[in-house]
Amino acid sequence: MNLQTIVLAAEGGAIPVVHPVDADGVFSLLWLIIALPLAGAVVLLLGGALAPRALDRVGHWLGTATVAGSFGLSLAMFVSLLGRSEEERQVGQHLYTWFEVGGLDVGMDLLYDPLSALFLLLITGVGALIHVYSIGYMEHDARRRRFFGYLNLFVAAMLVLVLSANYLGVFLGWEGVGLASYLLIGFWQHKHSAAAAAKKAFVINRVGDIGLSLAIALMFTTFGTTDFAAISESAGDASQGTLNALGLLLLLAACGKSAQVPLQAWLLDAMEGPTPVSALIHAATMVTAGVYLVVRSNFIYDLTPTAQTAVVIVATVTLLWGAVLGCAKDDIKKALAGSTMSQIGYMMLAAGLGPAGYPFAIFHLLTHGFFKANMFLGAGSVMHGMNDDVDMRHYGGLSKYMPVTFLTFAMGYLAIIGFPGFSGFWSKDKIIETALAENLVVGLCALLGAGITGFYMTRLMLMTFFTEKRWADDVHPHESPRLMTVPLIVLAALSVLGGVLILNDFIVDFLAPVTGVAEHHEPPLAPLVITLIVTLVVAAGVAAAWFLVGKRDIPREAPQDVSFATRAARADLYGDAINEGLVVQPGRRLVGGLATFDRVGVDGVVEGGSAAVGGMSGVLRRVQNGFVRSYALSLLGGALLVVLALLAVNLA
Amino acid sequence: MAFWILAPIMVVAALGILFVRKAVHAALLLAVVMISLAVLYAVLDAPFLFAVQIIVYTGAILMLFLFVLMLVGVDASDSVVETIRGQRAMATVLGLLLGLVLVTGFSQIALGTAVGLDEANEGGNIQQLANVLFSRYVFAFEATSALLITAAMGAMVLAHRERLTPKSTQSSLAAQRMRDYAETGKHLGPLPSPGVYARHNAVDTPALLPDGTASELSVSRVLAARGTVRSAPAFADDIDEVRRQLAAGRSDATADPDRMPEQGGKDGAPATTEEDVPR
Amino acid sequence: MTNEYIVLSAILFTIGCVGVLTRRNAIVVFMCVELMLNACNLALVTFAKQHGNLDGQIAAFFVMVVAAAEVVIGLAIIMTIFRTRRSASVDDASLLKY
């Protein structure tokens, strides 16, 4: 079956079916990849009651070790997977039956295929590096053990998300990462802004989760199961309307988790969390879960062009939206967050383009995971040296004081703007190329986005590491400790070299069993010409930044008399205002109206009824006056009534 | 024939029960109704019930009523003033309505010729009643006996009063009297005797105290409660009458009321006991 | 024809009713109840004659027995009430109310 599918897929156009073989050898340890960080989380979060001192001393190493162990296992499996023939590259492991209700049978099943494999490497690899970095970054935080517990919890949940073999398992991980994200954004809960940001992220994510849960419910009713295997096999039997609904609901879920318009508002606020959290969760892994969901659901999206179009539109809007935000923000983390939103837009765009785009979505996801984690950690390093100041207007000329941070950050910078040879160059270029081949407008938007990326990243780079010093007097920038710089160096290396995955179309062929093989579309121009154009556009963006930012004085305080566009971008393009006006206020009015209705209408009927009965009883009880003669009178009245009734009945 | 004589009597007597104020009178009127009923039973070929009605109802039950009346006090009479608003009017209206409906109803229907009890009473009414009572109604009869015993027990329980203090003896009573005298100055000796007037058996007339007021203690409390205590001013008229007669007998001139010996205490003796004031 | 007996019974019953409703002396109220019972007895005896059946007389007999028992208990209760409240008025025993 599987072989046949591959053959069909190789001919182009066919949608691959998920058909895992049983786990054996190293793959039988699949469960351990999840279990390790989960055990770490349990020990760190619950064990504190037993041995707080000891855990405070070694907890962070324990947390790092579990993720590193998972990474080792992932690497071993990845190597083992490469050694297998293509038709055996989907491995399933049935752990236990999760629950069984009526005709519904949901197992705790794991699926290890090329897609999961890449994700595992990204999550555990980047995760382990960020854990190491966090040891240094969180050194002076009293609650470091708890922080590592949360991080481990997040990694475990994320692994559940990408390893699960059915949508319900994905949902479990989906909610798990949402919880971890909430806990970590609000880690410094004593700051009101952090607590509010955590709540905002949680609430907006719930909106997306509704999409996922509804999609799962729809799958139950349509297919009677949530297994990838079964659904991929029978997806073609479902009606077009159902498939459209499924695609749109999954897109809603992806929007919530991946901060796509219109559910984008939480991501910038989420930067209130510690910087490693921003790097791991809100740049490298969790926010890409939406892309994973779309790519994983390729067997649905390939059948519903409507939903695919919606994905492309959402992605294009987000791509530009995030890029514009990134241009105006002075907060280094928020600028990076806007960039993240924009880059995820690229991934979603690729994912929305169908089989031709899936590999490049994942490719860009990986390279983005490297260079964006690198830059976030670099930003954390800068903040570390600048007394936790995040305003880029207070930086300037740091390249001399933080050479390692500067160099690693520069690698990430070159990667993201797509400097030829760096990882981002390959991945983004491929996406734009594919987009141009599919739709000219979308392709041009992506191209424009690349130019804006060049602009805002150059602006960030210039304001932070070049131009003149604008520090406060008591700031003494210094290089970060080795524990923080080593992960930076590793990630910088990955940012530079990530592009090797595209060599010889490795990633396309590697992912083919999952995503299928695209029919070949001829781009409007030769690929080389497109590459050249992209590079030129990026260069134009860089040059614009150089002339607009680098050549001018940067005031320490952000100027207020700026153009409308700048004001709008600073205000997140009025995303919060739109939410407020379109959802929150009407919702508040609706709830207020309902509350009033409940108070006046429902309570009025209930309480009014009881009050009426009570009042009537209060009047009627006067009949019970204690005078036996009164009672006798009513007896007589009753007897008279009976007699009259008898007469009436008998005479009638 | 007997019916047409007795029926008006019964109705009038029954109505009398409604309107007489004293319970004793009501009891007597009820006795009239019951005895008349007994006669009607006899007319209706129920000689046994005639006897039972006389013996049990008129004899026992009514006597029981009178007995309790005496215990409670024969003075217990109803006030004419109605306390529950609208009760009397409503009772009258509803009662009249009920009576009207029943009377018109019963007078309109035709019961047909009475079968008569000649056949059923074959061999004597009492024997036949006994036949029915001790055969078909024997369980009811036995149950009635249980009911009567229970009633007797109940009456004993209800009427019984537990003694809470030791029974007072002659010596303790005498000691109490002495204590009362020491504490409140209550007179040690017997109660004062009633007032004595020449023309009247004076047990219901209060004695006069030295200041001319009537002494309540000198009249039996029962008489006072019954409202039959005469007051001194009422006697004044009697005395005037006597003096007038005396004066007439003695031919004019010598008659001088002012010289009459009884005059002295009379003026200053206003009656303080109530007379015939409904309670 | 026995209609007139029944009518008399109804009149006596009604008078008893009104008496119960209007008189306040508990003993008189009781007498009125007895009057009503007697009116019923008259009807029962009348029907016995009408139908040539002794059951009516038996029923009247039972009514008398029950009335006797009732009077005994009732009067004992009135005695008790009088003893505690110094009053035989049914209106005074009106504590059991709203």
Side-chain angles (χ1 to χ4, degrees), chain B residues 130-183:
Chain B
N131 269 344
V132 180
L133 192 60
F134 295 119
S135 57
R136 203 188 317 165
Y137 293 103
V138 70
F139 281 113
F141 185 78
E142 293 299 331
T144 320
S145 70
L147 173 74
L148 284 173
I149 290 175
T150 314
M153 290 288 295
M156 279 192 274
V157 170
L158 281 170
H160 175 71
R161 186 151 47 163
E162 200 69 40
R163 179 170 287 286
L164 300 172
T165 51
K167 194 172 159 86
S168 48
T169 59
Q170 186 94 36
S171 60
S172 70
L173 283 173
Q176 182 62 42
R177 268 175 179 243
M178 290 305 291
R179 248 197 318 280
D180 287 347
Y181 177 66
E183 285 165 8

Side-chain angles (χ1 to χ4, degrees), chain A residues 192-488:
Chain A
H192 181 257
S193 57
K199 195 163 71 180
K200 185 177 182 183
F202 198 76
V203 169
I204 295 182
N205 265 296
R206 292 287 81 70
V207 177
D209 294 348
I210 289 171
L212 187 52
S213 50
L214 285 180
I216 291 173
L218 192 55
M219 287 170 195
F220 272 140
T221 54
T222 310
F223 305 110
T225 176
T226 62
D227 285 347
F228 294 146
I231 293 177
S232 63
E233 222 169 295
S234 54
D237 305 337
S239 72
Q240 192 60 45
T242 310
L243 288 171
N244 287 347
L246 274 179
L248 292 175
L249 286 170
L250 289 173
L251 173 63
L252 177 64
C255 281
K257 199 55 89 187
S258 294
Q260 303 291 295
V261 177
L263 299 178
Q264 85 291 357
W266 63 274
L267 185 59
L268 263 65
D269 288 357
M271 295 302 127
E272 289 290 343
T275 306
V277 172
S278 307
L280 177 61
I281 302 185
H282 305 122
T285 54
M286 186 191 84
V287 287
T288 59
V291 181
Y292 170 80
L293 189 68
V294 173
V295 175
R296 174 58 85 195
S297 310
N298 63 74
F299 42 79
I300 291 171
Y301 278 102
D302 287 350
L303 296 170
T304 162
T306 315
Q308 270 185 326
T309 311
V311 172
V312 169
I313 292 170
V314 163
T316 312
V317 171
T318 309
L319 181 164
L320 294 172
W321 187 297
V324 171
L325 293 193
C327 295
K329 290 292 175 184
D330 291 330
D331 180 331
I332 185 169
K333 285 180 71 180
K334 290 199 171 176
L336 285 174
S339 153
T340 303
M341 198 192 288
S342 173
Q343 300 303 313
I344 297 171
Y346 274 109
M347 301 170 207
M348 290 293 273
L349 172 59
L353 293 175
Y358 293 139
F360 304 126
I362 300 302
F363 182 34
H364 193 56
L365 194 156
L366 294 174
T367 56
H368 173 258
F370 298 146
F371 61 67
K372 189 51 70 64
N374 173 20
M375 283 194 287
F376 259 114
L377 295 184
S381 177
V382 170
M383 287 158 56
H384 192 74
M386 299 295 288
N387 289 1
D388 287 332
D389 193 348
V390 292
D391 193 339
M392 290 190 290
R393 291 184 184 276
H394 300 171
Y395 296 165
L398 289 176
S399 54
K400 280 198 281 285
Y401 299 87
M402 302 180 169
V404 179
T405 306
F406 165 63
L407 282 174
T408 54
F409 201 98
M411 298 301 118
Y413 160 72
L414 291 174
I416 192 174
I417 63 169
F419 193 81
F422 286 71
S423 62
F425 167 76
W426 305 106
S427 55
K428 198 186 292 183
D429 183 61
K430 279 292 179 191
I431 292 176
I432 295 171
E433 191 180 305
T434 317
L436 276 172
E438 295 282 335
N439 184 312
L440 193 62
V441 177
V442 173
L444 288 177
C445 284
L447 194 60
L448 178 64
I452 303 176
T453 306
F455 174 79
Y456 67 72
M457 284 315 297
T458 311
R459 170 177 177 270
L460 190 152
M461 198 70 190
L462 289 173
M463 287 174 83
T464 305
F465 292 104
F466 299 102
T467 64
E468 77 283 13
K469 305 173 195 171
R470 298 181 300 276
W471 323 327
D473 295 336
D474 56 343
V475 176
H476 306 288
H478 54 86
E479 188 52 86
S480 299
R482 187 72 57 82
L483 267 175
M484 290 164 69
T485 51
V486 168
L488 283 177

Side-chain angles (χ1 to χ4, degrees), chain A residues 97 99-106 220 224:
Chain A
T97 301
F99 58 79
E100 203 173 347
V101 184
L104 204 64
D105 188 357
V106 179
F220 272 140

Side-chain angles (χ1 to χ4, degrees), chain B residues 1-14:
Chain B
M1 185 62 207
F3 177 82
W4 294 113
I5 297 169
L6 288 175
I9 296 175
M10 287 167 72
V11 171
V12 168

Side-chain angles (χ1 to χ4, degrees), chain B residues 192-196 205-209 213-216 218-219:
Chain B
S193 52
V196 175
T205 311
L208 295 179
L209 292 172
T213 56
S215 165
E216 283 180 45
S218 63
V219 187

